[in-house]
Amino acid sequence: MKWQEVHITDVLVIGAGLAGERVAIEAAMHGHETTILSLVPPRRSHSTAAQGGMQASLANVAMGYGDNADIHFEDTVKGSDWGAEQDVVRRFVNLAPIAVRQLAHWGVPWTRVVPGKKTLPSGTEIEDLAEKEGLIAQRAFGGTAKWRTCYAADGTGHVLQYAMDSVVVKLGVTVHDRMEAVSLIHDGENCYGCIARCLRSGRLRAYLAKATVIATGGYGRIYGTSTNAVINEGTGMAIALDTGVVPLGNMEAVQFHPTGIVPTNILVTEGCRGDGGYLLDKNLHRFMPDYEPAKKELASRDVVSRRMTYHIRQGFGVESPYGPHLWLDIRHLGPEHIHTNLREVASICKNFLDIDPVDSLIPVVPTQHYSMGGVRTNKDGDAYGLKGLFAAGESACWDLHGFNRLGGNSLAETVVMGMVVGMRVAEYVREAPLNFTPRLVSDAAAKQEARIEALLSNKQGEEYVYELRRRMEETLLENVGIFRDHAKLEHAVEVLKDLHARSYRIRLRSNGLGPNPEVGAALRLPGMLKLALCIAYGALKRTESRGSHYREDYPQRDDTNWLKRTLAYWPEGAELPELKYEPVTIIELPPGERGYGETVRSTGVTMGE
Amino acid sequence: MSNRTLTFSIFRYNPATPEIKPRMQDFQLDETADMSVFIALNRLREEQDPSLMFDFVCRAAVCGSCAMLINGRPRLACKTLIKDLPEHITLMPLPVFKLIGDLSVDTGTWFHDLNIRTETWIHTDKNFDPKAVEERMDNPTALEIYEAERCIECGCCIAACATANIRADFIGAAGLNRIARFLIDPRDQRTPAQIFEVVGTDEGIFGCIGLMACDDLCPLELPLQSQLAFVRRKMGLAALKSKRN
Ligand SMILES: Cc1cc2nc3c(=O)[nH]c(=O)nc-3n(C[C@H](O)[C@H](O)[C@H](O)COP(=O)(O)OP(=O)(O)OC[C@H]3O[C@@H](n4cnc5c(N)ncnc54)[C@H](O)[C@@H]3O)c2cc1C
Ligand code: FES
């Protein structure tokens, strides 16, 4: 590797979404030289697409009075179906209000409290107090006892990412966009940075750092049909897994969001239901109260998604060329509310469905949305297995969300965890030397060079990258979705194993030169298939139902055997991950009823009986 | 649904093979229901030419990645539906921005430079106090800032702008809208006169010759015309004041 192709920095952050930028800001504010890599300019990261909001127990609005960190704690642990690390949750709920207020200081135009009497769509009268006027407002989200989700109209992610990036720009942090990390540089004990492929030139580059942070977001795109951006392919998790020593935590925990629109799977925010929207079936019957009398549409996402899928299976879906769907009805919220607090929803409906939700129903179906699993870290963000490697945000398994994340808790996590991990990294870098052997760097680069060479020489085989990829997406969607069972999971594992083997025999159909996208896709695919196998195999082995992981053949949560986290390792050359388990930290709230859907399960009655 | 066969004429250039000059290449594709330019381009890449370069991230009109010239007009490809287009569709990269390859251009670097030049972050001498309750703001002000903050930096207004096409340093409607956002924000302590230092030039507010293609072509329908007028008024006043002093 030539020296001009090597970039040296104190802190290397892979990923420029909210999590990555927040880590970088903290490190830079502590005086460390910091470099961020990203596939795209930071402001195009997927965080900008978040609409609904960010949870923090400010207790500023009528329906939030009395809210505090303890209630936020309880909601989060219940939401996680007791899969969350309680010391992490505690730290998170205590810091979330500070994070929200700091963002206000950085310029986020949070929606503010307007005092006065209001009537909710349910008919309940509430009054926002004059003494709270102008403080940050909250709306309702699923699975929360209080209204706790801070928001800016319904463009919360956009304003957060722009404010965050403006601080990055102000601090002069180095950002290399169109730069894709393709492997980590490590010796099995320490991490020294990464090898990246420049998406402008197609050339490889080495990044050397005392601390490397993975903040690459989720992997929704391995499912094909997902609310995620098309760049959310999980490559950050894959390069950590590739080291053989860093495990991924709870990969089988995959969240489906109740309201992806049909047919494009673009998300409309949970804020729709939070603000009073209903779900209707083909008879225009509001079915959620039948299943969840207490929480109705605002039970947690795993529960609502299951109820919807079950209801469709019972024949109540609306037929369409894209399969059966249900309706989301927000018409009763009125044009004024829709065109201010839900205006992004209105424009999505206009742009992609050619309808106005003020007078039309929105076709929706549960869609892959969030990856609870990721690079397993301790409560400070240190990745297991390699010193000098950290992770934050959706690509990490910190583990705040356990088996089901509450809406609004991810934006909050990116910022809070970004702050925590940033401080940890700043402290680590102060002590850590930057010592690496040139040999290690050139070997790591040579390995990636060889992969590209092999593709360009076109002698490996006949497989076509997009064909294998499509098969992977279909296999996951059909067999590793909302309802799982032994037979489907076993089938998925077999198919994915085969696809994984074939992914090393890809032949390019194009010349592969320069920033060629086919090369990028071919380099990524084996890693994506490894993630797919971690998900499917982890789900096959977990013989219980917990949060988003629902086994029809094991419909109950089994705390006796499964109150533990899956750790998936990938030994070099293996065809399946090696699974280990660790206990979940329970310090405050022992496992119990969730308060939605749970009663059904603990009495042993499965859905459909 | 008509069974049209579409012809796409697409601009091709790979910087890794400079000996092959930029050219237009034709592709044929059968139209399907609800097809957008996003869906069409992905199908072309997966089924016909995997070397085709173009950018998409959110595919939902919120990230600003996919702007290109569609039959000559700057538009977001993800929210452009094929049913609204004729059978023959020409796709070209946006002008003004540096070409990366085929339909992909470097809007990111352009906007990064703009944000540095116009210092688009909150300027304040207040320190953040983690123990304090947030400062109050009235909701109409918050909504007004949000309104100006909605720009997704797609570059359509810049590509459509006559001035930007001849002056590389013109900050354009996106830049002036960004300035408006900070002028409105009470948290930003810069005075209009300080901002005038930054934008009171031909690269800034005086470069605009008022053709207003930006306003017509903004995919988010931002009120660029009124934001421009707002900045111009503020800057005019600031200029007058500084003359008097
Ligand atoms: C449509 C939608 C709406 C949502 N709404 C909400 C909401 O209202 N509230 C809430 O709390 N949560 C919401 N979420 C979830 C939340 O937005 C995400 O979980 C969160 O933004 C993830 O942030 P991140 O920083 O971890 O990753 P991202 O924002 O996804 O950023 C990932 C970054 O990594 C970079 N990257 C990826 N791979 C590589 C690589 N190999 N090399 C270099 N760079 C790489 C990318 O370029 C990008 O910059 C929503 C999610 C979706 C999909
Ligand atoms: S892909 Fe994000 S705006 Fe089109």
Side-chain angles (χ1 to χ4, degrees):
Chain A
M1 177 133 267
K2 296 188 215 74
W3 281 103
Q4 65 267 35
E5 288 158 357
V6 177
H7 178 96
I8 299 179
T9 182
D10 289 334
V11 179
L12 174 69
V13 181
I14 308 174
L18 282 168
E21 290 210 314
R22 186 63 189 81
V23 172
I25 287 171
E26 198 67 35
M29 291 206 294
H30 282 79
H32 302 301
E33 203 182 318
T34 305
T35 302
I36 309 183
L37 308 187
S38 173
L39 302 174
V40 294
R43 293 175 186 210
R44 311 232 189 275
S45 297
H46 196 50
S47 292
T48 43
Q51 302 159 7
M54 155 169 182
Q55 286 203 41
S57 55
L58 302 182
N60 290 340
V61 294
M63 296 297 283
Y65 294 156
D67 196 13
N68 59 41
D70 293 340
I71 306 179
H72 192 182
F73 176 89
E74 204 171 302
D75 286 343
T76 303
V77 173
K78 284 184 181 169
S80 80
D81 221 350
W82 277 270
E85 287 287 276
Q86 296 192 3
D87 50 352
V88 165
V89 182
R90 177 45 73 185
R91 192 173 200 180
F92 164 78
V93 294
N94 290 348
L95 288 172
I98 297 177
V100 164
R101 290 173 175 141
Q102 184 171 47
L103 287 161
H105 181 74
W106 285 341
V108 169
W110 294 113
T111 299
R112 302 290 175 141
V113 175
V114 180
K117 285 203 167 74
K118 287 148 207 177
T119 312
L120 302 180
S122 60
T124 316
E125 285 241 335
I126 54 166
E127 182 172 3
D128 277 304
L129 301 177
E131 68 196 60
K132 301 282 188 183
E133 178 165 14
L135 296 176
I136 297 170
Q138 289 89 43
R139 61 166 37 138
F141 253 40
T144 66
K146 299 279 181 185
W147 289 22
R148 185 186 299 127
T149 306
C150 308
Y151 61 104
D154 63 355
T156 312
H158 174 93
V159 297
L160 295 189
Q161 180 86 57
Y162 274 54
M164 192 74 83
D165 189 54
S166 74
V167 179
V168 166
V169 174
K170 174 183 162 194
L171 292 174
V173 173
T174 306
V175 179
H176 290 178
D177 68 8
R178 293 188 189 257
M179 191 60 84
E180 175 172 2
V182 292
S183 73
L184 292 175
I185 304 171
H186 71 100
D187 56 11
E189 275 172 26
N190 289 288
C191 181
Y192 302 97
C194 77
I195 302 294
R197 176 173 178 259
C198 172
L199 303 178
R200 290 180 162 83
S201 66
R203 279 199 291 276
L204 292 179
R205 230 172 162 213
Y207 285 84
L208 295 171
K210 295 178 180 176
T212 305
V213 186
I214 294 181
T216 50
Y219 56 61
R221 281 291 144 186
I222 68 176
Y223 274 78
T225 309
S226 164
T227 62
N228 286 193
V230 299
I231 57 167
N232 285 25
E233 303 186 309
T235 47
M237 296 177 202
I239 62 177
L241 187 64
D242 260 340
T243 61
V245 291
V246 178
L248 303 182
N250 281 349
M251 290 297 281
E252 63 270 33
V254 181
Q255 180 170 82
F256 281 70
H257 193 293
T259 58
I261 61 172
V262 181
T264 51
N265 305 300
I266 295 170
L267 180 84
V268 291
T269 173
E270 186 157 313
C272 291
R273 282 170 292 132
D275 291 2
Y278 310 137
L279 292 166
L280 304 178
D281 64 17
K282 71 171 182 192
N283 303 320
L284 302 188
H285 169 64
R286 183 180 175 195
F287 58 92
M288 275 309 292
D290 304 345
Y291 297 112
E292 297 294 328
K295 286 275 179 180
K296 306 183 180 70
E297 280 82 359
L298 289 177
S300 77
R301 287 177 180 173
D302 56 329
V303 175
V304 180
S305 296
R306 268 197 297 279
R307 297 304 192 185
M308 290 169 75
T309 310
Y310 173 73
H311 202 64
I312 290 177
R313 280 190 186 176
Q314 300 302 104
F316 293 108
V318 184
E319 291 309 322
S320 87
Y322 310 96
H325 64 74
L326 296 160
W327 298 114
L328 173 66
D329 187 0
I330 59 171
R331 296 173 300 182
H332 51 286
L333 303 183
E336 194 191 317
H337 183 96
I338 293 176
H339 288 298
T340 49
N341 287 346
L342 297 171
R343 59 185 291 169
E344 299 299 326
V345 171
S347 38
I348 288 169
C349 288
K350 178 166 161 267
N351 294 337
F352 299 98
L353 297 170
D354 213 6
I355 61 165
D356 183 349
V358 169
D359 49 39
S360 299
L361 298 171
I362 310 171
V364 293
V365 75
T367 306
Q368 193 289 339
H369 180 63
Y370 187 81
S371 24
M372 271 77 71
V375 178
R376 177 71 185 128
T377 74
N378 66 14
K379 74 177 195 307
D380 296 319
D382 293 76
Y384 284 20
L386 279 184
K387 270 180 72 181
L389 183 67
F390 306 82
E394 192 171 341
S395 58
C397 177
W398 193 22
D399 174 354
L400 173 66
H401 311 299
F403 274 75
N404 173 66
R405 164 176 80 84
L406 294 185
N409 257 357
S410 176
L411 289 183
E413 178 189 39
T414 58
V415 187
V416 170
M417 194 183 184
M419 186 177 357
V420 168
V421 178
M423 276 188 251
R424 163 73 187 130
V425 165
E427 173 199 290
Y428 176 87
V429 165
R430 209 174 301 127
E431 307 289 322
L434 180 68
N435 57 1
F436 55 88
T437 48
R439 185 61 195 272
L440 203 63
V441 183
S442 52
D443 281 357
K447 206 165 163 187
Q448 299 307 316
E449 246 154 34
R451 293 182 66 199
I452 297 179
E453 283 299 310
L455 283 168
L456 292 180
S457 71
N458 254 342
K459 290 197 197 98
Q460 307 191 102
E462 280 302 318
E463 303 291 352
Y464 184 45
V465 60
Y466 290 114
E467 167 62 18
L468 297 186
R469 197 184 149 130
R470 195 178 51 73
R471 298 270 321 269
M472 167 185 76
E473 296 170 359
E474 285 167 4
T475 306
L476 285 171
L477 275 175
E478 279 162 25
N479 304 291
V480 202
I482 294 181
F483 289 105
R484 305 165 170 184
D485 65 36
H486 182 87
K488 283 203 252 177
L489 292 170
E490 199 168 47
H491 172 71
V493 169
E494 285 315 308
V495 174
L496 292 168
K497 255 165 66 181
D498 174 56
L499 292 172
H500 178 236
R502 287 161 65 190
S503 71
Y504 296 95
R505 302 197 293 269
I506 286 170
R507 184 173 75 79
L508 297 185
R509 305 299 199 253
S510 64
N511 66 13
L513 298 175
N516 179 295
E518 193 186 11
V519 173
L523 291 175
R524 253 169 251 144
L525 189 63
M528 293 167 81
L529 279 158
K530 283 183 190 166
L531 299 186
L533 275 162
C534 289
I535 297 168
Y537 193 56
L540 176 65
K541 292 293 169 191
R542 186 175 281 272
T543 48
E544 65 152 357
S545 292
R546 184 181 297 272
S548 65
H549 170 70
Y550 192 88
R551 289 278 303 251
E552 290 186 277
D553 44 355
Y554 297 93
Q556 307 199 34
R557 196 175 82 202
D558 175 1
D559 290 331
T560 317
N561 295 304
W562 287 106
L563 195 55
K564 53 192 183 187
R565 180 173 304 104
T566 309
L567 298 178
Y569 292 82
W570 202 286
E572 186 160 355
E575 49 168 18
L576 272 182
E578 190 184 313
L579 302 184
K580 295 184 183 165
Y581 295 92
E582 66 175 359
V584 176
T585 311
I586 308 273
I587 48 171
E588 295 185 44
L589 197 63
E593 294 268 316
R594 292 173 87 193
Y596 30 80
E598 209 59 354
T599 27
V600 181
R601 255 197 268 158
S602 50
T603 53
V605 182
T606 63
M607 278 197 268
E609 281 174 12
Chain B
M1 174 87 242
S2 66
N3 295 324
R4 297 194 296 176
T5 300
L6 308 164
T7 302
F8 287 87
S9 299
I10 300 182
F11 177 88
R12 302 303 306 269
Y13 180 69
N14 183 348
T17 50
E19 66 283 1
I20 305 174
K21 293 281 168 260
R23 67 201 187 283
M24 298 301 289
Q25 187 180 351
D26 281 0
F27 297 90
Q28 246 86 45
L29 197 65
D30 288 332
E31 181 170 10
T32 55
D34 301 306
M35 194 183 231
S36 61
V37 176
F38 162 72
I39 293 172
L41 278 170
N42 277 284
R43 275 192 48 198
L44 287 177
R45 175 149 81 193
E46 287 172 22
E47 294 165 15
Q48 301 190 29
D49 187 343
S51 70
L52 195 56
M53 285 177 266
F54 49 78
D55 294 324
F56 288 93
V57 174
C58 70
R59 56 84 176 86
V62 291
C63 77
S65 304
C66 65
M68 59 184 69
L69 293 184
I70 302 176
N71 287 343
R73 288 163 75 89
R75 304 176 70 161
L76 294 180
C78 68
K79 72 169 262 200
T80 302
L81 301 180
I82 298 283
K83 72 174 167 54
D84 301 330
L85 298 174
E87 268 169 27
H88 192 130
I89 298 160
T90 311
L91 302 178
M92 302 272 287
L94 284 190
V96 181
F97 304 98
K98 186 165 180 273
L99 181 68
I100 287 172
D102 298 342
L103 300 172
S104 177
V105 296
D106 196 350
T107 44
T109 301
W110 194 95
F111 277 98
H112 184 74
D113 290 347
L114 170 85
N115 290 325
I116 290 175
R117 277 165 63 199
T118 51
E119 301 191 3
T120 45
W121 52 84
I122 298 282
H123 289 56
T124 178
D125 50 26
K126 286 185 196 150
N127 284 325
F128 174 65
D129 175 2
K131 293 202 187 72
V133 169
E134 66 271 21
E135 260 182 51
R136 290 170 201 256
M137 177 184 279
D138 66 87
N139 198 45
T141 308
L143 285 174
E144 211 186 330
I145 300 170
Y146 178 71
E147 186 60 38
E149 168 97 23
R150 286 175 55 239
C151 168
I152 57 173
E153 304 192 340
C154 64
C156 284
C157 63
I158 306 299
C161 170
T163 310
N165 271 280
I166 45 180
R167 295 190 68 115
D169 50 8
F170 181 51
I171 66 173
L176 293 164
N177 177 66
R178 186 67 67 212
I179 301 272
R181 182 242 173 275
F182 285 89
L183 277 171
I184 296 167
D185 197 326
R187 290 167 293 197
D188 193 299
Q189 295 172 337
R190 278 176 290 182
T191 60
Q194 281 168 310
I195 293 186
F196 185 80
E197 296 282 309
V198 184
V199 295
T201 61
D202 282 354
E203 294 118 55
I205 194 72
F206 302 119
C208 171
I209 52 174
L211 297 179
M212 287 300 150
C214 54
D215 196 88
D216 292 341
L217 288 164
C218 173
L220 294 202
E221 295 169 23
L222 297 182
L224 293 175
Q225 188 154 8
S226 44
Q227 298 291 31
L228 278 171
F230 168 75
V231 177
R232 203 189 292 258
R233 209 162 51 240
K234 283 268 187 191
M235 295 300 98
L237 285 173
L240 273 180
K241 269 200 202 135
S242 69
K243 278 213 187 94
R244 269 193 230 123
N245 290 343

